[in-house]
């Protein structure tokens, strides 16, 4: 089963459809994206070039089954197609976050959150707390060296 | 102090921005509305109608997270100077089988106005007016009564209606 993302005029994904693999075989019996695009154009009244194949098993530029990742992420409704980088981007989580094409993900402008201390980890494991760093955009906008805020999700 | 919204009446409107070369064939829809108006048959299914319907469902879904399912469809033409009678697309004694949303699309219109009536708690009989122009749509709750007026003296106005329920 193949998956194709339908793009709106602003490159936003507006639908994701499945396609039987036999409907995208070329004359040599090889799966060909352009054949699938033509099939979808014919049956869905939407131009072929606005159907982009996407991989169900690709997430953050990794293939879940060890295969070759395709176009960064499995497309979802609301994702943005990036033609030049050949990546489906998730919606931007915060205004300050930036794209990282190597893992097809958004990252905070000050990097990943700090690691939890061993004490916090043990409290999480004991389920007495659920310590997590969450992004505080307001804090970042006020001081661009901060942004991660340690929060107990159980409180 | 906190706030909880129990109900809201939202309107969604905009242009049907199709890809270049894939514009809605509004002449075809006008012909279908014309023939539909003189027969008792169901509104004809066509590739053009399907493109419009799919566009609306896809874009309302992606922009507003509302999944629409078709209920009914028809088209109307309004003579110069004509004011429609008040239209209510729900059946008050059969709400179960009534639509949630009404979509109006300007097929071939000129100076065409939609007046949508609503209630704001004890303030009854309020209304909101919007001009329906070619290739523009408006979606609103089917529980709102509305009228359509053709406010010029030269040409017919063609309006496509599709009703939906949401899931």
């Amino acid at each position: 089963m193949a998956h194709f993302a339908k793009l709106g005029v602003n490159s936003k994904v507006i639908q994701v459809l499945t396609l039987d693999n036999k409907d995208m075989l070329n004359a040599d019996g090889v799966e060909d994206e352009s054949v699938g695009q033509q099939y979808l154009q014919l049956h869905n009244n939407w131009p072929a070039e606005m159907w982009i194949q996407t991989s169900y098993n690709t997430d953050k530029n990794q293939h879940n089954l060890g295969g070759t990742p395709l176009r960064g992420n499995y497309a979802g409704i609301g994702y943005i197609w990036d033609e030049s980088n050949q990546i489906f981007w998730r919606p931007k989580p915060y205004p300050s976050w930036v794209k990282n094409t190597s893992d097809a993900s958004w990252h905070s402008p000050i990097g990943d959150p700090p690691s939890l201390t061993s004490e916090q980890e043990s409290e999480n494991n004991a389920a007495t707390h659920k310590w997590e760093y969450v992004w505080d955009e307001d804090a970042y906008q006020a001081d661009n060296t901060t942004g991660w805020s340690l929060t107990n999700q159980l409180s | 102090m906190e706030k909880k919204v129990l109900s809201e009446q939202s309107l969604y409107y905009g242009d049907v921005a199709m890809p270049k070369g894939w514009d809605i064939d509004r002449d075809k829809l006008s012909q279908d509305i014309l023939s539909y108006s003189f027969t008792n048959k169901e509104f004809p299914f066509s590739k053009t109608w399907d493109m419009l319907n799919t566009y609306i469902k896809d874009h309302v879904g992606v922009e507003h997270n509302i999944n629409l399912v078709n209920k009914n469809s028809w088209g109307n033409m309004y003579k110069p100077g004509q004011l429609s009678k008040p239209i209510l697309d729900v059946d008050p004694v059969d709400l179960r089988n009534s639509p949630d949303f009404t979509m109006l699309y300007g097929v071939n219109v000129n100076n065409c106005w939609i007046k949508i009536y609503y209630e704001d708690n004890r303030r009854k009989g309020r209304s909101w007016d919007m001009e329906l122009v070619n290739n523009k749509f408006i979606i609103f709750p089917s529980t709102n009564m509305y009228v359509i007026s053709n406010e010029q003296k030269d040409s017919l106005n063609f309006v496509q209606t599709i009703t939906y329920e949401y899931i």
Side-chain angles (χ1 to χ4, degrees):
Chain A
M1 193 70 79
H3 296 80
F4 280 78
K6 178 182 181 181
L7 304 182
V9 289
N10 51 6
S11 294
K12 189 183 272 194
V13 176
I14 54 177
Q15 192 65 264
V16 180
L17 293 187
T18 57
L19 187 66
D20 198 318
N21 297 69
K22 71 177 171 55
D23 293 324
M24 55 181 298
L25 298 178
N26 63 19
D28 298 326
V30 179
E31 285 183 19
D32 185 336
E33 180 178 10
S34 64
V35 176
Q37 289 174 319
Q38 291 298 330
Y39 181 93
L40 289 164
Q41 173 176 300
L42 180 65
H43 293 277
N44 291 276
N45 297 324
W46 199 252
E49 67 273 14
M50 296 179 80
W51 292 98
I52 306 292
Q53 190 172 8
T54 181
S55 162
Y56 183 78
N57 288 304
T58 295
D59 184 44
K60 296 178 181 171
N61 227 6
Q62 300 283 324
H63 194 278
N64 294 337
L65 307 176
T68 306
L70 177 70
R71 293 170 176 159
N73 296 290
Y74 176 56
I77 291 175
Y79 283 33
I80 301 292
W81 169 240
D82 177 350
E83 172 88 42
S84 54
N85 290 308
Q86 293 283 304
I87 289 174
F88 286 106
W89 293 102
R90 290 181 170 80
K92 194 174 190 176
Y94 301 100
S96 64
W97 283 38
V98 292
K99 290 174 179 173
N100 182 334
T101 53
S102 61
D103 66 357
S105 299
W106 293 95
H107 287 263
S108 88
I110 57 170
D112 293 337
S115 301
L116 295 176
T117 64
S118 55
E119 184 184 357
Q120 290 160 351
E121 292 279 13
S122 61
E123 287 175 343
N124 280 359
N125 292 337
T128 57
H129 293 73
K130 191 179 177 190
W131 294 111
E132 263 182 31
Y133 280 98
V134 294
W135 183 254
D136 184 342
E137 182 70 18
D138 291 339
Y140 174 77
Q141 294 297 341
D143 173 2
N144 67 6
T145 62
T146 63
W148 291 111
S149 167
L150 183 63
T151 310
N152 177 14
Q153 301 288 348
L154 291 183
S155 66
Chain B
M1 184 182 293
E2 294 181 28
K3 176 185 176 183
K4 173 73 178 167
V5 178
L6 299 177
S7 170
E8 69 170 23
Q9 297 175 60
S10 301
L11 317 176
Y12 309 93
Y13 54 91
D15 295 317
V16 177
M18 297 294 286
K20 196 174 272 185
W22 287 75
D23 293 329
I24 300 291
D25 184 352
R26 292 186 289 108
D27 288 342
K28 162 69 176 158
L29 281 181
S30 297
Q31 290 165 13
D32 287 347
I33 291 171
L34 187 64
S35 59
Y36 166 81
S37 300
F38 292 106
T39 64
N40 271 334
K41 295 178 181 170
E42 283 191 3
F43 192 82
F45 179 85
S46 66
K47 178 178 170 181
T48 301
W49 182 92
D50 182 57
M51 287 168 67
L52 171 65
N53 180 50
T54 304
Y55 180 95
I56 296 294
K57 291 200 290 187
D58 282 349
H59 285 76
V60 170
V62 71
E63 300 296 340
H64 302 288
N65 203 24
I66 299 172
N67 293 313
L68 299 174
V69 177
N70 284 84
K71 288 292 286 185
N72 207 347
S73 183
W74 62 90
N76 288 103
M77 55 182 191
Y78 296 94
K79 291 180 283 191
Q82 183 180 355
L83 175 67
S84 76
K85 60 184 180 183
I87 305 166
L88 183 64
D89 291 329
V90 296
D91 180 350
V93 296
D94 188 13
L95 291 173
R96 184 186 182 89
N97 294 308
S98 293
D100 289 302
F101 288 103
T102 296
M103 191 282 296
L104 303 176
Y105 172 72
V107 177
N108 204 337
V109 291
N110 180 17
N111 210 348
C112 179
W113 286 82
I114 314 294
K115 182 185 284 287
I116 298 171
Y117 293 95
Y118 65 97
E119 295 179 358
D120 181 11
N121 295 319
R122 68 186 175 87
R123 296 163 187 85
K124 311 293 184 190
R126 294 197 162 188
S127 64
W128 187 78
D129 292 17
M130 191 187 111
E131 185 177 12
L132 188 66
V133 301
N134 285 335
N135 201 40
K136 194 167 192 169
F137 72 92
I138 177 169
I139 299 181
F140 52 92
S142 298
T143 46
N144 292 87
M145 188 176 284
Y146 61 100
V147 295
I148 300 174
S149 58
N150 181 352
E151 298 193 358
Q152 42 81 44
K153 296 176 180 169
D154 299 320
S155 56
L156 294 168
N157 276 344
F158 294 84
V159 177
Q160 178 77 52
T161 304
I162 306 177
T163 59
Y164 299 97
E165 61 180 319
Y166 72 86
I167 54 172

